[in-house]
Amino acid sequence: MSDFDTLGKHIGEIDSVIDAWIARLGLGYNHFAVLYSLAVTPDGACTQKQICDDWYLAKQTVFNICKEYRERGWIEFGASPHDKRERILHLTDLGKTHATPVVEQTQAVFGQALDKFGTQKTAQLFALMSEFSQVCQNEIEQIKT
């Protein structure tokens, strides 16, 4: 097995664990990403673009989920003070009722896992992942197509 194969295997394992957790919450990955993002934004507001950028989701996917959540009464769309075309998303009280347990349970489970993994190893893991991602991106950018 090549190093690339081993990397893919480990990424797949982590994805599988996260997908299983999200399914256990009764959500799909994309729906989770939107709901979680709206619930954890520091000022309680974010844009569809921010969600797309943070979770690497397609613009249309996020738009459709936001439309669905608005129809359920979970989110509201507001005008952006900076750009007339941009809409700011806010969870409603009903949306917060659905999002809060998702966020609390997710942060508890993964917080406990990372605590067991250890502070030093967690910091090292995140630093190495970030560095490796940048190294790969630089290598890809050097290839002429």
Side-chain angles (χ1 to χ4, degrees):
M1 182 179 279
S2 72
D3 287 342
F4 180 76
D5 296 336
T6 303
L7 174 66
K9 179 181 180 291
H10 290 297
I11 290 170
E13 288 171 347
I14 292 168
D15 278 345
S16 180
V17 167
I18 292 170
D19 286 344
W21 170 251
I22 291 169
R24 193 168 171 174
L25 293 170
L27 296 167
Y29 180 85
N30 297 337
H31 283 79
F32 172 87
V34 172
L35 191 62
Y36 189 89
S37 293
L38 290 166
V40 300
T41 17
D43 59 358
C46 68
T47 65
Q48 291 178 23
K49 183 177 180 348
Q50 287 171 313
I51 296 169
C52 292
D53 292 348
D54 290 348
W55 292 83
Y56 299 95
L57 297 176
K59 185 178 175 181
Q60 190 63 44
T61 299
V62 173
F63 173 81
N64 289 336
I65 293 168
C66 288
K67 182 179 170 189
E68 178 185 332
Y69 283 172
R70 185 173 70 177
E71 289 169 0
R72 290 183 186 180
W74 292 11
I75 64 171
E76 296 173 336
F77 292 81
S80 169
H82 308 293
D83 184 346
K84 292 178 184 176
R85 297 168 295 166
E86 187 174 66
R87 292 184 279 177
I88 306 296
L89 310 172
H90 300 271
L91 283 173
T92 62
D93 288 339
L94 180 60
K96 289 175 187 174
T97 300
H98 289 279
T100 299
V102 167
V103 170
E104 288 176 352
Q105 291 174 27
T106 299
Q107 290 178 346
V109 166
F110 289 92
Q112 290 168 6
L114 291 169
D115 285 348
K116 286 181 181 174
F117 194 60
T119 305
Q120 185 177 1
K121 288 196 315 188
T122 297
Q124 187 178 24
L125 172 69
F126 293 156
L128 290 170
M129 288 171 69
S130 179
E131 182 181 350
F132 182 70
S133 179
Q134 190 60 55
V135 168
C136 289
Q137 184 64 40
N138 291 343
E139 289 299 313
I140 290 168
E141 288 173 0
Q142 290 180 20
I143 296 172
K144 307 242 189 287
T145 54

